[in-house]
Amino acid sequence: QVQLVESGGGLVQAGGSLRLSCAASGRTFSRLDVGWFRQAPGKEREFVASIAWRGRITDSADSVKGRFIMSTDNGRNTVSLEMNSLRPEDTAVYYCAAALDPLTLRAASQYDYWGQGTQVTVSS
């Protein structure tokens, strides 16, 4: 029903910036809760940021708060993650996801649709 495709990953030096995008097809993100997660080698998938469609409430993990900004376009066809002041520990595969009726937006298990992931590597 919903297909998600991430783009924008790549190599960047510490302190630099990068913007990730996630495009939706099949249906827009309208009335869906959306989020970004990341998974580094040897670590569990962790919450990065989210936007609830109702009230457009934003949330983000403490580790990225003040550095990363999540947003959607006016038509809610694209979800973006602007990443600033990048650190080597930000290196991970980043995934966008959408949820139909989540209990919480911080848990990966609550999401119904996932993109394929895009690699972000931050060098020191």
Side-chain angles (χ1 to χ4, degrees), residues 36-91:
W36 284 94
F37 289 78
R38 67 186 183 186
Q39 188 164 23
K43 299 184 65 177
E44 296 182 0
R45 187 168 299 186
E46 66 174 345
F47 170 77
V48 176
S50 66
I51 300 178
W53 76 268
R54 187 182 297 277
R56 301 185 64 81
I57 304 300
T58 61
D59 188 25
S60 62
D62 290 342
S63 60
V64 306
K65 197 176 297 292
R67 299 189 298 122
F68 292 8
I69 302 173
M70 183 179 177
S71 63
T72 61
D73 64 4
N74 291 335
R76 292 182 62 82
N77 296 112
T78 303
V79 175
S80 298
L81 183 68
E82 180 70 28
M83 303 183 293
N84 303 300
S85 301
L86 283 162
R87 306 162 181 169
E89 53 263 41
D90 293 318
T91 295

